[in-house]
Amino acid sequence: MFKLLGNKKIVVLLISLIVFVALMGLTMMRTGMTTPEKMIKDTVAWTQGLFYRPAQSIAGFFKDIRDLRDLYEENRVLKATLSNYAKDTMKLNKLESENKNLKELLEFTERQKSLDNYKYHVAQVLSISPDPYNGRININLGSRDGIKENMAVISVEGLVGRVDTVSELSASVQLLTELDATNNESKAISATVKGKERSFGIIQSYDPATQNLIMTNIEQTDELEVGDTIITSGMGLVFPKGIEIGTVVAKEDGDFGINYVAQVKPVATFRHLSELLVVEVPDAQDTEIN
């Protein structure tokens, strides 16, 4: 009985093997697909296309979102970089400007060392009055730094003004543009001509119309001429001797024709001030002002 069943299994296995080999042979010998196979293949391809196109669109949509997010992040980084570059450029320009100004101040003080024994305090301008008729500025030096009232304040070009009021950490500077002959608080400047120290005059006012300083009390015999350079004479004891003030641009008769009056164009500018020098005369600052 068992032997018979075992023989049947062997026979079935052999038949199945023969059929399988035959089918493989037929398949290899066949050059094309049958009609049912073609229908099945087309149906599968159409179904795949039906699902593939939406899936591809969705995938593309999410890819666009990722690209947009990457573009946004890249744009944010570029903006931050550009902002930092602009800040660094501004700092660089400011440092270059300050470096240039400080070099000019250093060269100026080195030149002056051979001419006088003055001490120069480098001051930064804190504020400038926006009112063109208010010739006052504030600097970052005060009594703690040895600054006193009536000290001369200059730029590398020439005389700018004088220290008016002093606090511990800052000081107010009266510019030459605030000189007024009718104001008792306005300090007149004793002046002379560079190279013609026998010349003498007093600068006591500023004319806003011509933007020139007015020099009076010039004697008829004075050698002052148009084109001369006017400097401080030091005789008034407020401004040290030898500081350039300006250039004579006009000379005319004064009141009653007794003395001459000259218009002096300042060598210093009074706008866009940044670094200034406060002049200290060690042996003269404690002298009583005349």
Side-chain angles (χ1 to χ4, degrees), residues 168-218:
E168 185 177 359
L169 300 177
S170 63
S172 174
V173 176
Q174 180 190 52
L175 300 179
L176 296 182
T177 55
E178 204 175 50
L179 286 176
D180 187 351
T182 62
N183 185 354
N184 293 329
E185 296 182 358
S186 177
K187 302 290 185 180
I189 306 172
S190 298
T192 185
V193 176
K194 185 177 182 179
K196 301 177 183 178
E197 278 68 18
R198 295 181 59 184
S199 295
F200 177 79
I202 296 177
I203 295 178
Q204 57 183 0
S205 63
Y206 174 81
D207 185 1
T210 61
Q211 298 184 355
N212 291 328
L213 297 165
I214 307 302
M215 184 173 176
T216 60
N217 290 19
I218 305 170

mmCIF file of all heavy atoms in Angstrom, residues 168-218:
data_model
loop_
_atom_site.group_PDB
_atom_site.id
_atom_site.type_symbol
_atom_site.label_atom_id
_atom_site.label_comp_id
_atom_site.label_asym_id
_atom_site.label_seq_id
_atom_site.Cartn_x
_atom_site.Cartn_y
_atom_site.Cartn_z
ATOM 1 N N GLU A 168 33.036 118.392 34.528
ATOM 2 C CA GLU A 168 34.069 117.414 34.841
ATOM 3 C C GLU A 168 34.459 116.563 33.642
ATOM 4 O O GLU A 168 35.633 116.268 33.420
ATOM 5 C CB GLU A 168 33.598 116.500 35.969
ATOM 6 C CG GLU A 168 34.681 115.514 36.430
ATOM 7 C CD GLU A 168 34.232 114.656 37.596
ATOM 8 O OE1 GLU A 168 33.088 114.829 38.063
ATOM 9 O OE2 GLU A 168 35.020 113.804 38.019
ATOM 10 N N LEU A 169 33.452 116.174 32.826
ATOM 11 C CA LEU A 169 33.717 115.234 31.740
ATOM 12 C C LEU A 169 33.584 115.847 30.351
ATOM 13 O O LEU A 169 33.860 115.170 29.361
ATOM 14 C CB LEU A 169 32.771 114.029 31.852
ATOM 15 C CG LEU A 169 32.866 113.216 33.143
ATOM 16 C CD1 LEU A 169 31.827 112.110 33.147
ATOM 17 C CD2 LEU A 169 34.259 112.632 33.319
ATOM 18 N N SER A 170 33.130 117.072 30.246
ATOM 19 C CA SER A 170 32.943 117.692 28.936
ATOM 20 C C SER A 170 33.113 119.199 29.051
ATOM 21 O O SER A 170 33.237 119.749 30.152
ATOM 22 C CB SER A 170 31.554 117.355 28.364
ATOM 23 O OG SER A 170 30.538 117.887 29.189
ATOM 24 N N ALA A 171 33.103 119.846 27.892
ATOM 25 C CA ALA A 171 33.244 121.299 27.865
ATOM 26 C C ALA A 171 32.496 121.860 26.668
ATOM 27 O O ALA A 171 32.320 121.186 25.653
ATOM 28 C CB ALA A 171 34.713 121.698 27.812
ATOM 29 N N SER A 172 32.060 123.090 26.806
ATOM 30 C CA SER A 172 31.389 123.795 25.714
ATOM 31 C C SER A 172 32.397 124.742 25.064
ATOM 32 O O SER A 172 33.166 125.419 25.753
ATOM 33 C CB SER A 172 30.186 124.585 26.249
ATOM 34 O OG SER A 172 29.615 125.385 25.232
ATOM 35 N N VAL A 173 32.374 124.773 23.739
ATOM 36 C CA VAL A 173 33.322 125.594 22.984
ATOM 37 C C VAL A 173 32.551 126.667 22.214
ATOM 38 O O VAL A 173 31.601 126.362 21.492
ATOM 39 C CB VAL A 173 34.146 124.736 22.003
ATOM 40 C CG1 VAL A 173 35.068 125.615 21.161
ATOM 41 C CG2 VAL A 173 34.952 123.691 22.764
ATOM 42 N N GLN A 174 32.982 127.905 22.393
ATOM 43 C CA GLN A 174 32.413 129.016 21.630
ATOM 44 C C GLN A 174 33.210 129.167 20.342
ATOM 45 O O GLN A 174 34.411 129.434 20.370
ATOM 46 C CB GLN A 174 32.469 130.316 22.445
ATOM 47 C CG GLN A 174 31.890 131.521 21.703
ATOM 48 C CD GLN A 174 32.179 132.826 22.410
ATOM 49 O OE1 GLN A 174 33.328 133.104 22.731
ATOM 50 N NE2 GLN A 174 31.158 133.610 22.668
ATOM 51 N N LEU A 175 32.542 128.995 19.204
ATOM 52 C CA LEU A 175 33.222 129.099 17.911
ATOM 53 C C LEU A 175 33.434 130.563 17.532
ATOM 54 O O LEU A 175 32.784 131.475 18.064
ATOM 55 C CB LEU A 175 32.397 128.392 16.834
ATOM 56 C CG LEU A 175 32.126 126.898 17.039
ATOM 57 C CD1 LEU A 175 31.274 126.359 15.902
ATOM 58 C CD2 LEU A 175 33.430 126.113 17.138
ATOM 59 N N LEU A 176 34.337 130.778 16.577
ATOM 60 C CA LEU A 176 34.591 132.145 16.101
ATOM 61 C C LEU A 176 33.351 132.748 15.458
ATOM 62 O O LEU A 176 33.215 133.978 15.401
ATOM 63 C CB LEU A 176 35.742 132.136 15.089
ATOM 64 C CG LEU A 176 37.123 131.715 15.611
ATOM 65 C CD1 LEU A 176 38.143 131.813 14.494
ATOM 66 C CD2 LEU A 176 37.546 132.554 16.798
ATOM 67 N N THR A 177 32.449 131.898 14.984
ATOM 68 C CA THR A 177 31.232 132.398 14.345
ATOM 69 C C THR A 177 30.303 133.097 15.338
ATOM 70 O O THR A 177 29.348 133.731 14.926
ATOM 71 C CB THR A 177 30.468 131.243 13.682
ATOM 72 O OG1 THR A 177 30.212 130.223 14.659
ATOM 73 C CG2 THR A 177 31.270 130.656 12.544
ATOM 74 N N GLU A 178 30.591 132.961 16.635
ATOM 75 C CA GLU A 178 29.750 133.606 17.641
ATOM 76 C C GLU A 178 30.360 134.898 18.168
ATOM 77 O O GLU A 178 29.831 135.523 19.090
ATOM 78 C CB GLU A 178 29.486 132.652 18.812
ATOM 79 C CG GLU A 178 28.210 132.988 19.569
ATOM 80 C CD GLU A 178 27.907 131.961 20.657
ATOM 81 O OE1 GLU A 178 28.820 131.658 21.444
ATOM 82 O OE2 GLU A 178 26.774 131.477 20.712
ATOM 83 N N LEU A 179 31.481 135.308 17.591
ATOM 84 C CA LEU A 179 32.088 136.575 18.001
ATOM 85 C C LEU A 179 31.142 137.726 17.674
ATOM 86 O O LEU A 179 30.607 137.832 16.573
ATOM 87 C CB LEU A 179 33.421 136.788 17.280
ATOM 88 C CG LEU A 179 34.608 135.927 17.747
ATOM 89 C CD1 LEU A 179 35.816 136.199 16.870
ATOM 90 C CD2 LEU A 179 34.928 136.203 19.198
ATOM 91 N N ASP A 180 30.939 138.600 18.667
ATOM 92 C CA ASP A 180 30.005 139.711 18.497
ATOM 93 C C ASP A 180 30.541 140.892 19.299
ATOM 94 O O ASP A 180 30.713 140.803 20.523
ATOM 95 C CB ASP A 180 28.621 139.317 18.999
ATOM 96 C CG ASP A 180 27.568 140.375 18.698
ATOM 97 O OD1 ASP A 180 27.948 141.475 18.249
ATOM 98 O OD2 ASP A 180 26.385 140.100 18.928
ATOM 99 N N ALA A 181 30.796 141.979 18.610
ATOM 100 C CA ALA A 181 31.363 143.158 19.265
ATOM 101 C C ALA A 181 30.419 143.752 20.304
ATOM 102 O O ALA A 181 30.858 144.447 21.233
ATOM 103 C CB ALA A 181 31.718 144.214 18.221
ATOM 104 N N THR A 182 29.112 143.493 20.170
ATOM 105 C CA THR A 182 28.141 144.059 21.111
ATOM 106 C C THR A 182 27.894 143.152 22.311
ATOM 107 O O THR A 182 27.154 143.505 23.214
ATOM 108 C CB THR A 182 26.802 144.306 20.397
ATOM 109 O OG1 THR A 182 26.263 143.055 19.930
ATOM 110 C CG2 THR A 182 26.995 145.236 19.207
ATOM 111 N N ASN A 183 28.526 141.971 22.316
ATOM 112 C CA ASN A 183 28.320 141.009 23.397
ATOM 113 C C ASN A 183 29.550 141.019 24.304
ATOM 114 O O ASN A 183 30.656 140.712 23.877
ATOM 115 C CB ASN A 183 28.104 139.600 22.827
ATOM 116 C CG ASN A 183 27.755 138.590 23.907
ATOM 117 O OD1 ASN A 183 27.770 138.887 25.096
ATOM 118 N ND2 ASN A 183 27.429 137.373 23.480
ATOM 119 N N ASN A 184 29.335 141.371 25.558
ATOM 120 C CA ASN A 184 30.458 141.460 26.493
ATOM 121 C C ASN A 184 31.090 140.104 26.784
ATOM 122 O O ASN A 184 32.239 140.026 27.206
ATOM 123 C CB ASN A 184 29.993 142.089 27.815
ATOM 124 C CG ASN A 184 29.590 143.545 27.639
ATOM 125 O OD1 ASN A 184 30.143 144.247 26.790
ATOM 126 N ND2 ASN A 184 28.640 144.005 28.444
ATOM 127 N N GLU A 185 30.295 139.018 26.591
ATOM 128 C CA GLU A 185 30.817 137.687 26.857
ATOM 129 C C GLU A 185 31.691 137.184 25.718
ATOM 130 O O GLU A 185 32.386 136.183 25.857
ATOM 131 C CB GLU A 185 29.666 136.699 27.080
ATOM 132 C CG GLU A 185 28.831 137.009 28.314
ATOM 133 C CD GLU A 185 27.729 135.990 28.525
ATOM 134 O OE1 GLU A 185 27.608 135.076 27.680
ATOM 135 O OE2 GLU A 185 26.999 136.100 29.521
ATOM 136 N N SER A 186 31.651 137.868 24.600
ATOM 137 C CA SER A 186 32.444 137.465 23.443
ATOM 138 C C SER A 186 33.865 138.000 23.593
ATOM 139 O O SER A 186 34.063 139.202 23.787
ATOM 140 C CB SER A 186 31.807 137.995 22.156
ATOM 141 O OG SER A 186 32.589 137.668 21.042
ATOM 142 N N LYS A 187 34.840 137.114 23.545
ATOM 143 C CA LYS A 187 36.232 137.506 23.745
ATOM 144 C C LYS A 187 36.875 137.915 22.425
ATOM 145 O O LYS A 187 36.945 137.129 21.485
ATOM 146 C CB LYS A 187 37.019 136.345 24.360
ATOM 147 C CG LYS A 187 36.471 135.853 25.699
ATOM 148 C CD LYS A 187 36.708 136.859 26.802
ATOM 149 C CE LYS A 187 36.263 136.293 28.148
ATOM 150 N NZ LYS A 187 36.481 137.255 29.248
ATOM 151 N N ALA A 188 37.346 139.160 22.360
ATOM 152 C CA ALA A 188 38.038 139.621 21.162
ATOM 153 C C ALA A 188 39.406 138.956 21.066
ATOM 154 O O ALA A 188 39.966 138.495 22.064
ATOM 155 C CB ALA A 188 38.185 141.137 21.191
ATOM 156 N N ILE A 189 39.927 138.906 19.845
ATOM 157 C CA ILE A 189 41.193 138.217 19.595
ATOM 158 C C ILE A 189 42.235 139.230 19.140
ATOM 159 O O ILE A 189 42.055 139.920 18.129
ATOM 160 C CB ILE A 189 41.027 137.135 18.509
ATOM 161 C CG1 ILE A 189 39.897 136.179 18.884
ATOM 162 C CG2 ILE A 189 42.329 136.377 18.301
ATOM 163 C CD1 ILE A 189 39.539 135.213 17.770
ATOM 164 N N SER A 190 43.327 139.307 19.875
ATOM 165 C CA SER A 190 44.439 140.147 19.445
ATOM 166 C C SER A 190 45.157 139.422 18.315
ATOM 167 O O SER A 190 45.545 138.262 18.457
ATOM 168 C CB SER A 190 45.410 140.397 20.611
ATOM 169 O OG SER A 190 44.754 141.097 21.649
ATOM 170 N N ALA A 191 45.358 140.109 17.194
ATOM 171 C CA ALA A 191 45.887 139.442 16.008
ATOM 172 C C ALA A 191 46.995 140.256 15.367
ATOM 173 O O ALA A 191 47.112 141.475 15.578
ATOM 174 C CB ALA A 191 44.772 139.196 15.003
ATOM 175 N N THR A 192 47.805 139.573 14.589
ATOM 176 C CA THR A 192 48.865 140.215 13.838
ATOM 177 C C THR A 192 49.009 139.498 12.498
ATOM 178 O O THR A 192 48.280 138.538 12.222
ATOM 179 C CB THR A 192 50.197 140.179 14.614
ATOM 180 O OG1 THR A 192 51.183 140.920 13.901
ATOM 181 C CG2 THR A 192 50.682 138.759 14.808
ATOM 182 N N VAL A 193 49.942 139.976 11.683
ATOM 183 C CA VAL A 193 50.171 139.386 10.370
ATOM 184 C C VAL A 193 51.391 138.473 10.439
ATOM 185 O O VAL A 193 52.433 138.854 10.980
ATOM 186 C CB VAL A 193 50.367 140.466 9.297
ATOM 187 C CG1 VAL A 193 50.697 139.830 7.950
ATOM 188 C CG2 VAL A 193 49.128 141.329 9.189
ATOM 189 N N LYS A 194 51.262 137.284 9.896
ATOM 190 C CA LYS A 194 52.372 136.344 9.880
ATOM 191 C C LYS A 194 53.505 136.917 9.031
ATOM 192 O O LYS A 194 53.319 137.273 7.867
ATOM 193 C CB LYS A 194 51.907 135.007 9.297
ATOM 194 C CG LYS A 194 52.960 133.920 9.357
ATOM 195 C CD LYS A 194 52.384 132.608 8.833
ATOM 196 C CE LYS A 194 53.401 131.488 8.917
ATOM 197 N NZ LYS A 194 52.835 130.194 8.421
ATOM 198 N N GLY A 195 54.670 137.043 9.639
ATOM 199 C CA GLY A 195 55.819 137.621 8.938
ATOM 200 C C GLY A 195 55.882 139.127 9.038
ATOM 201 O O GLY A 195 56.864 139.743 8.587
ATOM 202 N N LYS A 196 54.843 139.744 9.579
ATOM 203 C CA LYS A 196 54.821 141.200 9.789
ATOM 204 C C LYS A 196 54.326 141.460 11.214
ATOM 205 O O LYS A 196 53.259 142.043 11.420
ATOM 206 C CB LYS A 196 53.901 141.894 8.781
ATOM 207 C CG LYS A 196 54.257 141.675 7.328
ATOM 208 C CD LYS A 196 53.234 142.350 6.428
ATOM 209 C CE LYS A 196 53.527 142.084 4.955
ATOM 210 N NZ LYS A 196 52.483 142.715 4.072
ATOM 211 N N GLU A 197 55.103 141.005 12.198
ATOM 212 C CA GLU A 197 54.638 141.048 13.572
ATOM 213 C C GLU A 197 54.424 142.452 14.111
ATOM 214 O O GLU A 197 53.862 142.636 15.193
ATOM 215 C CB GLU A 197 55.613 140.275 14.467
ATOM 216 C CG GLU A 197 55.405 138.764 14.474
ATOM 217 C CD GLU A 197 55.746 138.101 13.143
ATOM 218 O OE1 GLU A 197 56.459 138.722 12.329
ATOM 219 O OE2 GLU A 197 55.302 136.963 12.913
ATOM 220 N N ARG A 198 54.854 143.482 13.365
ATOM 221 C CA ARG A 198 54.597 144.864 13.791
ATOM 222 C C ARG A 198 53.152 145.262 13.517
ATOM 223 O O ARG A 198 52.662 146.247 14.069
ATOM 224 C CB ARG A 198 55.556 145.821 13.078
ATOM 225 C CG ARG A 198 57.020 145.610 13.457
ATOM 226 C CD ARG A 198 57.912 146.606 12.747
ATOM 227 N NE ARG A 198 57.546 147.986 13.080
ATOM 228 C CZ ARG A 198 58.130 149.057 12.535
ATOM 229 N NH1 ARG A 198 59.097 148.903 11.633
ATOM 230 N NH2 ARG A 198 57.744 150.279 12.900
ATOM 231 N N SER A 199 52.485 144.497 12.652
ATOM 232 C CA SER A 199 51.064 144.776 12.396
ATOM 233 C C SER A 199 50.250 144.362 13.611
ATOM 234 O O SER A 199 50.614 143.444 14.352
ATOM 235 C CB SER A 199 50.584 144.009 11.167
ATOM 236 O OG SER A 199 51.237 144.457 10.005
ATOM 237 N N PHE A 200 49.117 145.042 13.788
ATOM 238 C CA PHE A 200 48.276 144.712 14.937
ATOM 239 C C PHE A 200 46.826 145.071 14.625
ATOM 240 O O PHE A 200 46.531 146.048 13.935
ATOM 241 C CB PHE A 200 48.732 145.478 16.193
ATOM 242 C CG PHE A 200 47.858 145.238 17.388
ATOM 243 C CD1 PHE A 200 47.994 144.078 18.138
ATOM 244 C CD2 PHE A 200 46.880 146.158 17.737
ATOM 245 C CE1 PHE A 200 47.173 143.853 19.233
ATOM 246 C CE2 PHE A 200 46.061 145.935 18.835
ATOM 247 C CZ PHE A 200 46.204 144.772 19.584
ATOM 248 N N GLY A 201 45.920 144.230 15.146
ATOM 249 C CA GLY A 201 44.494 144.498 15.026
ATOM 250 C C GLY A 201 43.734 143.617 15.998
ATOM 251 O O GLY A 201 44.316 142.753 16.673
ATOM 252 N N ILE A 202 42.444 143.850 16.071
ATOM 253 C CA ILE A 202 41.595 143.072 16.984
ATOM 254 C C ILE A 202 40.436 142.477 16.189
ATOM 255 O O ILE A 202 39.704 143.207 15.506
ATOM 256 C CB ILE A 202 41.050 143.945 18.122
ATOM 257 C CG1 ILE A 202 42.204 144.455 18.991
ATOM 258 C CG2 ILE A 202 40.067 143.152 18.979
ATOM 259 C CD1 ILE A 202 41.766 145.380 20.105
ATOM 260 N N ILE A 203 40.296 141.175 16.276
ATOM 261 C CA ILE A 203 39.155 140.496 15.665
ATOM 262 C C ILE A 203 38.091 140.340 16.738
ATOM 263 O O ILE A 203 38.286 139.635 17.732
ATOM 264 C CB ILE A 203 39.565 139.122 15.104
ATOM 265 C CG1 ILE A 203 40.557 139.309 13.954
ATOM 266 C CG2 ILE A 203 38.333 138.348 14.626
ATOM 267 C CD1 ILE A 203 41.063 138.029 13.349
ATOM 268 N N GLN A 204 36.965 141.021 16.537
ATOM 269 C CA GLN A 204 35.958 141.034 17.586
ATOM 270 C C GLN A 204 34.553 140.691 17.108
ATOM 271 O O GLN A 204 33.619 140.670 17.906
ATOM 272 C CB GLN A 204 35.922 142.403 18.265
ATOM 273 C CG GLN A 204 35.667 143.561 17.314
ATOM 274 C CD GLN A 204 35.716 144.903 18.030
ATOM 275 O OE1 GLN A 204 35.950 144.973 19.230
ATOM 276 N NE2 GLN A 204 35.477 145.977 17.277
ATOM 277 N N SER A 205 34.398 140.374 15.818
ATOM 278 C CA SER A 205 33.060 140.013 15.350
ATOM 279 C C SER A 205 33.142 139.144 14.099
ATOM 280 O O SER A 205 34.198 139.064 13.440
ATOM 281 C CB SER A 205 32.213 141.265 15.067
ATOM 282 O OG SER A 205 32.797 142.033 14.030
ATOM 283 N N TYR A 206 32.015 138.509 13.809
ATOM 284 C CA TYR A 206 31.883 137.633 12.629
ATOM 285 C C TYR A 206 30.669 138.092 11.843
ATOM 286 O O TYR A 206 29.598 138.349 12.399
ATOM 287 C CB TYR A 206 31.715 136.182 13.079
ATOM 288 C CG TYR A 206 31.426 135.207 11.956
ATOM 289 C CD1 TYR A 206 32.459 134.713 11.162
ATOM 290 C CD2 TYR A 206 30.129 134.770 11.695
ATOM 291 C CE1 TYR A 206 32.208 133.815 10.139
ATOM 292 C CE2 TYR A 206 29.865 133.868 10.674
ATOM 293 C CZ TYR A 206 30.901 133.391 9.896
ATOM 294 O OH TYR A 206 30.643 132.501 8.881
ATOM 295 N N ASP A 207 30.844 138.220 10.520
ATOM 296 C CA ASP A 207 29.758 138.669 9.654
ATOM 297 C C ASP A 207 29.131 137.453 8.964
ATOM 298 O O ASP A 207 29.743 136.872 8.061
ATOM 299 C CB ASP A 207 30.304 139.649 8.609
ATOM 300 C CG ASP A 207 29.196 140.243 7.740
ATOM 301 O OD1 ASP A 207 28.011 139.892 7.970
ATOM 302 O OD2 ASP A 207 29.499 141.043 6.847
ATOM 303 N N PRO A 208 27.916 137.037 9.368
ATOM 304 C CA PRO A 208 27.282 135.862 8.744
ATOM 305 C C PRO A 208 27.026 136.041 7.253
ATOM 306 O O PRO A 208 27.002 135.062 6.509
ATOM 307 C CB PRO A 208 25.962 135.719 9.519
ATOM 308 C CG PRO A 208 26.162 136.475 10.793
ATOM 309 C CD PRO A 208 27.078 137.600 10.443
ATOM 310 N N ALA A 209 26.819 137.302 6.828
ATOM 311 C CA ALA A 209 26.514 137.549 5.415
ATOM 312 C C ALA A 209 27.698 137.202 4.522
ATOM 313 O O ALA A 209 27.547 136.560 3.483
ATOM 314 C CB ALA A 209 26.103 139.004 5.213
ATOM 315 N N THR A 210 28.882 137.631 4.928
ATOM 316 C CA THR A 210 30.087 137.366 4.131
ATOM 317 C C THR A 210 30.846 136.144 4.627
ATOM 318 O O THR A 210 31.766 135.671 3.957
ATOM 319 C CB THR A 210 31.028 138.581 4.181
ATOM 320 O OG1 THR A 210 31.421 138.809 5.542
ATOM 321 C CG2 THR A 210 30.337 139.813 3.623
ATOM 322 N N GLN A 211 30.477 135.666 5.833
ATOM 323 C CA GLN A 211 31.161 134.547 6.490
ATOM 324 C C GLN A 211 32.637 134.867 6.716
ATOM 325 O O GLN A 211 33.493 133.985 6.667
ATOM 326 C CB GLN A 211 31.001 133.247 5.690
ATOM 327 C CG GLN A 211 29.557 132.798 5.554
ATOM 328 C CD GLN A 211 29.426 131.467 4.834
ATOM 329 O OE1 GLN A 211 30.400 130.903 4.337
ATOM 330 N NE2 GLN A 211 28.214 130.946 4.781
ATOM 331 N N ASN A 212 32.896 136.146 6.996
ATOM 332 C CA ASN A 212 34.254 136.600 7.289
ATOM 333 C C ASN A 212 34.329 137.172 8.697
ATOM 334 O O ASN A 212 33.329 137.650 9.253
ATOM 335 C CB ASN A 212 34.697 137.680 6.295
ATOM 336 C CG ASN A 212 34.889 137.133 4.889
ATOM 337 O OD1 ASN A 212 35.264 135.972 4.714
ATOM 338 N ND2 ASN A 212 34.624 137.964 3.891
ATOM 339 N N LEU A 213 35.525 137.135 9.263
ATOM 340 C CA LEU A 213 35.791 137.781 10.539
ATOM 341 C C LEU A 213 36.149 139.238 10.281
ATOM 342 O O LEU A 213 36.766 139.574 9.257
ATOM 343 C CB LEU A 213 36.951 137.075 11.254
ATOM 344 C CG LEU A 213 36.697 135.612 11.643
ATOM 345 C CD1 LEU A 213 38.013 134.941 12.002
ATOM 346 C CD2 LEU A 213 35.708 135.522 12.797
ATOM 347 N N ILE A 214 35.756 140.110 11.204
ATOM 348 C CA ILE A 214 36.021 141.539 11.049
ATOM 349 C C ILE A 214 37.167 141.928 11.982
ATOM 350 O O ILE A 214 37.081 141.757 13.197
ATOM 351 C CB ILE A 214 34.764 142.379 11.365
ATOM 352 C CG1 ILE A 214 33.580 141.885 10.529
ATOM 353 C CG2 ILE A 214 35.044 143.846 11.109
ATOM 354 C CD1 ILE A 214 33.801 141.927 9.036
ATOM 355 N N MET A 215 38.233 142.452 11.390
ATOM 356 C CA MET A 215 39.419 142.879 12.139
ATOM 357 C C MET A 215 39.463 144.403 12.157
ATOM 358 O O MET A 215 39.456 145.058 11.107
ATOM 359 C CB MET A 215 40.681 142.310 11.485
ATOM 360 C CG MET A 215 41.967 142.600 12.226
ATOM 361 S SD MET A 215 43.359 141.691 11.454
ATOM 362 C CE MET A 215 44.728 142.291 12.416
ATOM 363 N N THR A 216 39.485 144.975 13.348
ATOM 364 C CA THR A 216 39.436 146.435 13.497
ATOM 365 C C THR A 216 40.712 146.941 14.184
ATOM 366 O O THR A 216 41.628 146.179 14.474
ATOM 367 C CB THR A 216 38.204 146.842 14.326
ATOM 368 O OG1 THR A 216 38.302 146.238 15.626
ATOM 369 C CG2 THR A 216 36.920 146.362 13.659
ATOM 370 N N ASN A 217 40.701 148.253 14.448
ATOM 371 C CA ASN A 217 41.815 148.923 15.148
ATOM 372 C C ASN A 217 43.147 148.766 14.402
ATOM 373 O O ASN A 217 44.208 148.623 15.020
ATOM 374 C CB ASN A 217 41.980 148.395 16.577
ATOM 375 C CG ASN A 217 40.837 148.818 17.481
ATOM 376 O OD1 ASN A 217 39.767 149.185 17.003
ATOM 377 N ND2 ASN A 217 41.047 148.764 18.786
ATOM 378 N N ILE A 218 43.081 148.747 13.079
ATOM 379 C CA ILE A 218 44.292 148.662 12.266
ATOM 380 C C ILE A 218 44.745 150.087 11.938
ATOM 381 O O ILE A 218 44.000 150.853 11.311
ATOM 382 C CB ILE A 218 44.039 147.881 10.965
ATOM 383 C CG1 ILE A 218 43.457 146.500 11.287
ATOM 384 C CG2 ILE A 218 45.324 147.740 10.164
ATOM 385 C CD1 ILE A 218 42.955 145.752 10.068
#
